[in-house]
Each structure stands twice: as C-alpha cells, then as structure tokens.
Amino acid sequence: DVAFIRDWLSFTDANIGALARAAPIPTLSQPNLWGQVDGWHAMDTKDEGFVFLFNPTFAKRNVTLPIDEAVGVSNASAGSSWTVEELYPNRGQPRGSWTHGAHVTLELYGADALALRLTKKASPSTAAVTPVLTRGASGKSVRVPWSARPASAQACAGLAYTDEVDISFAGTPIEHGMPISSTPVPATFSGGWFNTTFSIPSAIFDQLKARQANYPIPWTANDRNASWLDPSRLLMTLAYAHPLTTAAPRARLNGASLKILWASNSRNGPASASQSCFTGYYIDASSFPPETMHSLSVWMPSVAPGDFQGLFWDNLDTEYTNDVVACSAVAGESSVARFI
C-alpha cells in the first residue's frame, strides 16, 4: 500500500551511502537460475549496512552466507561482530549476532524476500538499545538471544538465564506462499499423478475477506484473467519450472474433475493464448469449504526431476502476533546458526 512504498522510499533516502555501494552476493546464484536464492549486499565504508535476499520459488529455501567480503564486509573488520535486525518481512525481529568469518544459515519464505540490517558492535551506532522481539509469525516459534526475549510477556516471567530462548506465538500459522499440505514431492517425480489431502483453515478466508473490505475494488471477470489482480481470491499455484501453454496439467478434487486456469500477467492473456504472457497454472480455491479435509489429485505433464515443487497457496500474507504462549530456555550450547 501507499504507506509501505513511502516507508521504503524514506529508507532509501536515509541510507543512500550504503545503497550506492550495493553489489550482488557472489556466493549465491544469479537471478536467472530458476529455483535458487539470489541476493545483494549494501555496506558503507564502516562495514555496516544491509543484506537483501530473494526467493523466486514457492518452496522455502535455506541459504548460507559467509560473513566476509561475500556480503560486502572488508577484512579491516576481522574480529568484529554485528547485531542483526530484520527489516522485512518482520521488521524489528532480532536475528542475533554475526561474527566476521562465520557462516550463518537463513530461511526464506516461498516467493518472498528477506532484508536485514547489520550494525557493527562497539561502534557509535550501537548506542541504541538491543532490539527486543515484539512479535512473531502466528502459530510459530523463533529462537532469539536472551537479551532479545520479550521479558514483559507472562510466558517469559521467571525464566532462568540462558544464552538463547525459544519463543512460541499464538494463532493459526498463515504464511506467504505456504504449501497446501505437508505431502512432499518425490525427488524422482517426473510427471504423472501427484496425490495429496488438505484442509483450509478458516483464518485464511478471514484474511482474504479483510483485504477485500480494506480494498473494495469492483473487479471484473476480465480483470481476473490476470492472476495477480483481485488478491482477495484464494489461488492454488502449481509450482514447476518451464510450464507450457501446450501441456496443461489436469486435476480432480474429491473425485470430481477440477478446472485448472492459466496464470497470466495480462487481462487478455488467456484469450490471446500467448506463451509470452503466460506464467503458469493455478486453481481458484475461493469456493472450497474451510475446515474440511479435501482429496486432490493432479496429473502433471513431463517434468525433470526436481522441477515440480508442489502446490502452494497464493495471495496470502504471513500473519504476525505479539501474543506469546510459551518461552523456553535452550539447553546447552545451541547448534542452530540462525534466528528465524
């Protein structure tokens, strides 16, 4: 929305010194490689700044970064460490401390980005209070350093000191680009039938209804030919590499034939039958009953093993809450090198 755009424009103005030095992260793939995370770093002359990561696929991806020249940090900062804070999608979430020469592993939501701020410790800019975790993804847990725990939360009261703390949040998990089910795609899958079962939480439809109420645009049938319009629809994306207009999948829901639609970047895409406007296939699940177990079978055309990632919900935003339901100490030295 307008506030979101204005906020990032202001961010650009405030951090132009670091952003002017932006460069691709060479240890990651190039943006033209399907299915791989790519990213940029933007560090100022004091080795403070930002890391931006982009996941072009619907599947969650883990990525490991070396904290050195690969992310724009010079050898002049050998021995230094940084306080890391998330700017997007969950602004303000602490991401722990990174040390020069270490490797950190991060998880990215499907079809999403991750923006991080790195502030060098023992520099003038570290005078600010260490970020405290104020909210997290609904129904999920996050591991943070002791100093970042929400100490005011009742669930954290009386917790004995430990280096790291696992914080659990209330609610139903709703994530951007979340899979429709937990059924994995076999690594050797090369086409044919893929079967799964799924249920749609009512909270998903609540989110979509709220979006339509906030943005009451009278979408037309022609508008909906462009799959990115009318974002109050619940769309199920068939995520795979190199879809073709001449090789459409088929589907059955609870034993009955189910229509599969073209995803297009143009209102006239399906009518023109142009591969240049075509972005894949999807199923409109807006009318599917919630809180009901459904059986889905999808027949896929021939694909290379690994190219079919599965079925994912589109038009969802990750939901966050500040309602902490559990706060537990991490026993011993943690082997987890990330804060997600």
Side-chain angles (χ1 to χ4, degrees):
D1 57 16
V2 174
F4 177 86
I5 295 172
R6 285 177 174 169
D7 181 60
W8 280 101
L9 289 175
S10 297
F11 166 86
T12 303
D13 292 339
N15 298 284
I16 193 65
L19 297 175
R21 296 162 55 89
I25 298 175
T27 56
L28 300 180
S29 68
Q30 297 303 305
N32 61 337
L33 294 179
W34 186 87
Q36 302 298 317
V37 172
D38 64 275
W40 287 64
H41 61 75
M43 297 294 167
D44 63 19
T45 56
K46 298 178 182 179
D47 286 340
E48 293 185 313
F50 311 94
V51 170
F52 304 95
L53 301 172
F54 309 97
N55 181 7
T57 74
F58 272 90
K60 285 185 177 180
R61 287 285 187 259
N62 287 345
V63 61
T64 299
L65 299 176
I67 310 307
D68 55 22
E69 296 97 328
V71 293
V73 171
S74 72
N75 287 330
S77 291
S80 298
S81 58
W82 291 260
T83 298
V84 184
E85 178 186 5
E86 186 172 315
L87 298 180
Y88 180 88
N90 188 18
R91 174 162 291 193
Q93 177 175 320
R95 287 280 184 153
S97 179
W98 294 1
T99 302
H100 188 279
H103 288 73
V104 296
T105 300
L106 302 164
E107 182 182 65
L108 277 76
Y109 285 121
D112 210 352
L114 176 64
L116 303 171
R117 181 195 301 272
L118 279 67
T119 304
K120 188 186 290 187
K121 293 184 178 180
S123 71
S125 58
T126 58
V129 176
T130 301
V132 172
L133 182 68
T134 58
R135 69 171 193 165
S138 297
K140 294 290 185 176
S141 297
V142 60
R143 181 166 295 179
V144 299
W146 171 263
S147 59
R149 78 196 189 288
S152 61
Q154 183 175 357
C156 295
L159 187 69
Y161 175 81
T162 182
D163 287 344
E164 294 179 341
V165 181
D166 285 337
I167 312 297
S168 299
F169 292 89
T172 300
I174 299 179
E175 299 176 355
H176 183 77
M178 65 189 289
I180 71 164
S181 73
S182 60
T183 305
V185 177
T188 58
F189 184 84
S190 58
W193 288 103
F194 174 75
N195 302 307
T196 189
T197 57
F198 69 94
S199 178
I200 307 173
S202 295
I204 285 181
F205 286 112
D206 292 342
Q207 182 184 111
L208 298 174
K209 289 176 183 177
R211 181 178 298 141
Q212 180 60 29
N214 289 331
Y215 300 94
I217 298 173
W219 303 103
T220 68
N222 194 56
D223 289 333
R224 296 186 183 95
N225 286 333
S227 50
W228 55 276
L229 293 177
D230 192 0
S232 64
R233 294 180 292 173
L234 180 61
L235 306 185
M236 183 190 297
T237 293
L238 286 65
Y240 64 105
H242 317 302
L244 299 173
T245 60
T246 55
R250 304 193 304 269
R252 299 185 69 82
L253 181 70
N254 302 324
S257 180
L258 181 65
K259 188 175 183 179
I260 291 184
L261 303 168
W262 279 35
S264 173
N265 58 17
S266 168
R267 292 176 175 86
N268 299 316
S272 65
S274 170
Q275 182 73 34
S276 62
C277 294
F278 175 71
T279 60
Y281 293 97
Y282 72 92
I283 294 165
D284 190 338
S286 303
S287 63
F288 293 4
E291 307 296 348
T292 301
M293 190 59 65
H294 300 283
S295 175
L296 178 66
S297 297
V298 175
W299 182 90
M300 292 293 299
S302 178
V303 294
D307 276 0
F308 177 55
Q309 296 182 338
L311 305 160
F312 299 84
W313 294 124
D314 207 352
N315 285 338
L316 297 183
D317 289 331
T318 301
E319 293 205 348
Y320 295 95
T321 179
N322 57 9
D323 186 3
V324 177
V325 295
C327 191
S328 58
V330 178
E333 183 176 352
S334 173
S335 61
V336 177
R338 62 188 177 194
F339 301 87
I340 61 176

